[in-house]
Amino acid sequence: MGGIAEFRTVVLDCPDPRGLAEFYSRLLGWPVTSVEDDWVVVSDGGPPKRLAFQLAPGYRPPVWPSAERPQQFHLDVTVTDMDEAEREVLKIGATKHEHQPSEDDEFRVFLDPAGHPFCLCRDV
């Protein structure tokens, strides 16, 4: 079924586009493909696998699970070894969130360096 449009990019507001792009480049293994002062892209070669990071002066990170500043979105990434992936994302600058809602450890919640939540997920 064709849609009205084709998916292109997920864009994350942040205070440091280059720094956050470098974090996701290391997380996903995608190179940084475009750099401007206020816009940086990582990609595996084009849509739909493309993330962009946009400068947002006055950026305030989400406070999840609070409704005051909700997460608004999060990324799920699949890993084969949850413990090893956790060690690696912590090394590159992620923070493990104190709230871990998965009762069976099928996913773990982390925050990227700008405070956006993302989940490491087991491939089920």
Side-chain angles (χ1 to χ4, degrees):
M1 175 178 188
I4 294 170
E6 183 177 321
F7 179 84
R8 179 181 168 113
T9 308
V10 171
V11 181
L12 287 77
D13 285 353
C14 61
D16 177 10
R18 181 65 189 237
L20 197 57
E22 289 172 0
F23 171 84
Y24 279 99
S25 175
R26 292 178 70 188
L27 175 69
L28 300 171
W30 297 351
V32 173
T33 59
S34 176
V35 178
E36 298 175 28
D37 290 341
D38 59 353
W39 182 267
V40 181
V41 176
V42 299
S43 175
D44 81 333
K49 294 182 179 177
R50 183 177 133 129
L51 290 174
F53 307 91
Q54 177 174 272
L55 179 63
Y59 171 79
R60 293 176 46 202
V63 180
W64 177 81
S66 168
E68 179 185 338
R69 285 195 324 263
Q71 67 177 335
Q72 300 175 13
F73 90 101
H74 72 273
L75 298 175
D76 287 346
V77 296
T78 302
V79 299
T80 54
D81 183 326
M82 185 72 79
D83 294 329
E84 177 63 21
E86 178 173 324
R87 283 190 290 277
E88 293 299 317
V89 299
L90 294 174
K91 281 184 196 174
I92 64 171
T95 303
K96 190 171 184 178
H97 199 289
E98 63 188 37
H99 182 63
Q100 295 294 324
S102 178
E103 294 178 8
D104 55 4
D105 200 35
E106 287 300 313
F107 65 92
R108 295 181 191 168
V109 183
F110 295 84
L111 302 175
D112 71 20
H116 302 107
F118 71 95
C119 295
L120 299 180
C121 303
R122 294 185 191 281
D123 193 7
V124 291

